[in-house]
Amino acid sequence: MDIPVNVLILAAGLGTRMKSKRAKVLHKAGGRTLIEHVVATAAALTPAERIIVVVGHQAERVKETVGGSGVRFVEQPEQKGTAHAVQVCREAVGDGDSLVVVLYGDCPLLGAGTMAKLVAHQRGSTAAVTLLTAEPEDPTGYGRVLRGPGGGVEAVVEQKAATPDQLAVREVNAGIYCFRGELLWTHLGEIRPENPAGEFYLTDIVSVFRRAGLGVEAVSHPDARELLGINTRVELAEADRVLRERTVRRLMLDGVSIDRPETVTIDCQVRIGRDTAVGPFVQILGDTRIGEDCRIGACSIIQDSTLADRVVVAPLTLVAESRLDEDVQVGPFARLRPGNHLEAGARAGNFVEMKKARLGAGSKAMHLAYLGDAVIGSQVNIGAGAITCNYDGAHKHQTSIGDGAFVGSNSTLVAPVAIGAGSYVGAASVVTKEVPEDALAIGRARQQNKLGWAKRRRRGQRG
Ligand code: UD1
Ligand code: CA
C-alpha cells in the first residue's frame, strides 16, 4: 500500500509586503481567501485530517475561515522562518512512515494535478525530497535553484542572500516540496539562521541533505504562472485575474453565455445553469446560485442570492442576499437589499428598492417604490412611488398587503399597518389604519377647483 501523505500549509506570517492589517492568507483572489484556495487544493490530495495549517498572525480568523473543512491547526506564535514553521508540526504529524508535502498558504493558483505529479515523482524515487521548480519571466523574490556540474540540485539560495551570479539564475523554487517524512525530521534541526534575515529557511534543507549524501530531485513545471506566490497586492490582483478567467471559462464550457467575458467578475464558488446569458460588466459574487435560461443584464451586481430558472435581471440592478423564484423579473435600476423573497413571476421594476420584503407570486411594483419589512401577497399591484414607512425613528415595523390588493401611486403606508386582500388604496393616500378586505381607502385632501383663479392671478388680482 502507498504510504500516506501529510500536507503542511504554512500560513502564520503577516505578509509584511502586503502592507495590510489583515494577515496575507485572508486576502481574497477570485472571490475566496488565499488560504481557502490552498486548503481546497490540498484536500484533493489527502484526507482533511492529514492536512495541518500552521497559524500565527490572526490565527483565530484563519481557523474560522477554513475550520469547516476538517483540517487541523498548529500554532506558531513567533514566526522564525519557514523551517521553524515546519518544525512546530513535528508532533502533530506523529510517527509512522509518511510523505510530507510542504506548501505555502500564499499560492492560490496551484492545481491539485500539479501537487499529485510532485507526490508521484517522490513515491518513485529514493531522494529525500522532490521540489517543484519553474522558470518565470521575472524570478525576482523567489529562491534560486543552484545545480551542480552534473545537473543535480545542490542548493536553494534566497533572494536576500544571493550573489549577483546566483540572482541571474532563472530557475526558481516554487515553494512546494514532497519529503520522505523520517529524513525531514532527522535533518530539519540542522538548519541554522545564518542569513541576513536571521530566519530558519526551509530552503536550506537542500544543502543539508546534500551534505549528508542524500538525494534531492526537482520536477520542473512548465507553467510558472500556476506557482505564483502572493507577496504584494500587485501579485494578488494578478492571481485574481487568473482565477476569474478560469471561472468564466469553466462556466462557458458548461453552457453559460457570457457577453464580453473579460469584463465580468464572477466568484469561483458561483453556480450558473445552462443557457443563462450574462451581460457585460456583470458581477456575480459570494454564495450565489443561478438557474437555467436566466438573463443577467449589463452592469448588474448579484451577491449571495438564489435565482431560479428563467429569472430576468435587467441592466444596472443590485440584488443582495435575496431569493428570486421562477420567472421573476427585476430592474432595470432596481435595488434589492438583503432579505427579500420574490415569488414566481413577481416583478420589481425601475428604481424600486426592497428590503426584507416578500413579494407574492405575480405581484408587481413596476416603478419607484420602496418596500421594506413587508409581506405582500400574490397578484398585488403596487403603484408608482408607493412606499412603506417602516421606520418611526426608533423601531422598524411591518406592513402586510393581502392577495389581489391594489395600492395606488404615491401611497404612503405607515407601518405597522395591514392592507386587506382585494382592497384598493386611492392614489396618494396616507394609510395609517388597517384597510379591511375589499374596501376602498382614501386618505388625502379632497380636490377643490377655483374657477378662473389662475387668470386673475396673472392679471395681478387675488382671490
Ligand atoms: C518562499 C521560499 C522561496 C520560494 C518562495 C515561493 C523560503 C525561505 N523561501 O519565499 O525560496 O521561492 O517562497 O513562493 O522558504 N511562514 C510561516 N511561518 C514563518 C515564515 C513564513 O508560516 O515563520 C509562511 C508565510 O505565512 C507564507 C509562507 O510561509 O504563507 C511563505 O513565506 P514567505 O515569506 O511568503 O516566503 P517567500 O519570501 O515568498
Ligand atoms: Ca511568498
Side-chain angles (χ1 to χ4, degrees):
M1 228 189 70
D2 282 345
I3 58 169
V5 179
N6 292 300
V7 178
L8 313 183
I9 301 174
L10 312 192
L14 174 62
T16 320
R17 289 163 280 183
M18 294 294 280
K19 311 233 166 98
S20 174
K21 289 180 281 301
R22 200 170 348 139
K24 175 165 69 176
V25 296
L26 294 172
H27 282 262
K28 284 185 175 181
R32 269 204 306 202
T33 58
L34 301 184
I35 191 66
E36 284 173 284
H37 285 289
V38 178
V39 165
T41 306
L45 191 80
T46 204
E49 63 272 17
R50 287 198 173 273
I51 299 173
I52 296 169
V53 181
V54 182
V55 292
H57 276 279
Q58 292 161 27
E60 288 315 310
R61 284 186 53 198
V62 177
K63 287 184 191 174
E64 263 167 45
T65 305
V66 290
S69 60
V71 299
R72 294 190 291 152
F73 299 95
V74 167
E75 303 250 357
Q76 186 198 20
E78 212 188 324
Q79 290 82 44
K80 298 181 187 166
T82 44
H84 177 250
V86 172
Q87 186 72 61
V88 298
C89 298
R90 173 71 191 95
E91 222 173 283
V93 170
D95 295 323
D97 213 6
S98 80
L99 294 180
V100 177
V101 172
V102 176
L103 73 164
Y104 303 150
D106 66 359
C107 54
L109 304 182
L110 177 69
T114 305
M115 262 179 92
K117 197 173 77 175
L118 177 72
V119 171
H121 183 96
Q122 176 60 34
R123 277 196 200 286
S125 141
T126 55
V129 63
T130 303
L131 44 119
L132 203 62
T133 71
E135 293 197 13
E137 264 167 39
D138 178 9
T140 308
Y142 290 94
R144 308 300 202 280
V145 176
L146 306 184
R147 291 180 181 263
V153 176
E154 293 296 330
V156 171
V157 56
E158 289 307 298
Q159 171 91 22
K160 280 186 196 159
T163 64
D165 275 359
Q166 292 168 337
L167 289 177
V169 171
R170 285 277 308 282
E171 188 180 14
V172 305
N173 166 36
I176 303 148
Y177 323 79
C178 185
F179 292 94
R180 286 250 313 272
E182 59 183 298
L183 294 175
L184 171 67
W185 304 126
T186 307
H187 293 279
L188 191 61
E190 293 164 34
I191 292 173
R192 311 295 344 140
E194 282 151 13
N195 52 65
E199 287 188 17
F200 293 87
Y201 283 157
L202 180 60
T203 43
D204 286 346
I205 196 82
V206 173
S207 39
V208 166
F209 280 153
R210 295 303 296 131
R211 275 202 298 276
L214 294 163
V216 172
E217 291 183 7
V219 170
S220 91
H221 193 61
D223 180 9
R225 283 199 332 172
E226 185 191 328
L227 309 176
L228 179 69
I230 309 303
N231 296 322
T232 67
R233 295 189 200 231
V234 175
E235 288 154 345
L236 186 71
E238 171 62 10
D240 183 71
R241 193 182 59 74
V242 172
L243 287 162
R244 293 195 187 285
E245 259 174 38
R246 283 186 194 166
T247 301
V248 158
R249 196 180 146 74
R250 166 175 59 78
L251 289 167
M252 290 192 291
L253 290 172
D254 285 349
V256 178
S257 292
I258 302 181
D259 191 359
R260 304 236 269 123
E262 70 281 10
T263 66
V264 307
T265 301
I266 304 182
D267 284 354
C268 56
Q269 61 273 39
V270 165
R271 299 280 169 268
I272 305 181
R274 284 188 180 187
D275 290 313
T276 283
V278 175
F281 296 98
V282 162
Q283 299 192 14
I284 307 178
L285 309 174
D287 184 16
T288 293
R289 300 269 174 286
I290 298 179
E292 298 190 356
D293 300 303
C294 296
R295 276 188 286 135
I296 313 298
C299 304
S300 290
I301 302 177
I302 301 182
Q303 190 192 335
D304 297 316
S305 293
T306 302
L307 279 58
D309 295 341
R310 297 179 304 281
V311 168
V312 176
V313 177
L316 296 143
T317 294
L318 310 180
V319 178
E321 296 172 40
S322 290
R323 180 175 147 196
L324 279 56
D325 292 346
E326 293 79 10
D327 302 295
V328 160
Q329 295 187 23
V330 293
F333 295 103
R335 178 173 182 214
L336 272 56
R337 291 161 53 202
N340 302 295
H341 180 188
L342 280 69
E343 295 178 352
R347 295 173 69 177
N350 29 217
F351 305 105
V352 170
E353 175 182 349
M354 295 178 65
K355 185 218 73 171
K356 287 191 186 158
R358 197 172 95 203
L359 192 58
S363 291
K364 292 175 188 168
M366 296 305 286
H367 331 265
L368 300 157
Y370 171 58
L371 304 171
D373 301 304
V375 176
I376 300 164
S378 60
Q379 305 299 334
V380 168
N381 188 85
I382 306 284
I387 60 169
T388 53
C389 305
N390 58 328
Y391 185 51
D392 62 11
H395 303 285
K396 302 280 170 63
H397 301 283
Q398 285 281 324
T399 299
S400 77
I401 302 177
D403 294 344
F406 181 98
V407 177
S409 293
N410 246 7
S411 298
T412 300
L413 310 180
V414 182
V417 71
I419 313 290
S423 66
Y424 268 67
V425 174
S429 292
V430 176
V431 179
T432 54
K433 292 189 304 224
E434 180 179 346
V435 178
E437 263 183 51
D438 298 318
L440 167 64
I442 306 172
R444 62 175 187 236
R446 193 177 284 276
Q447 181 175 341
Q448 298 175 35
N449 290 336
K450 297 190 175 180
L451 297 178
W453 181 93
K455 209 174 202 175
R456 288 197 296 281
R457 181 175 187 272
R458 281 194 294 275
R459 287 194 194 129
Q461 299 167 358
R462 287 281 156 183

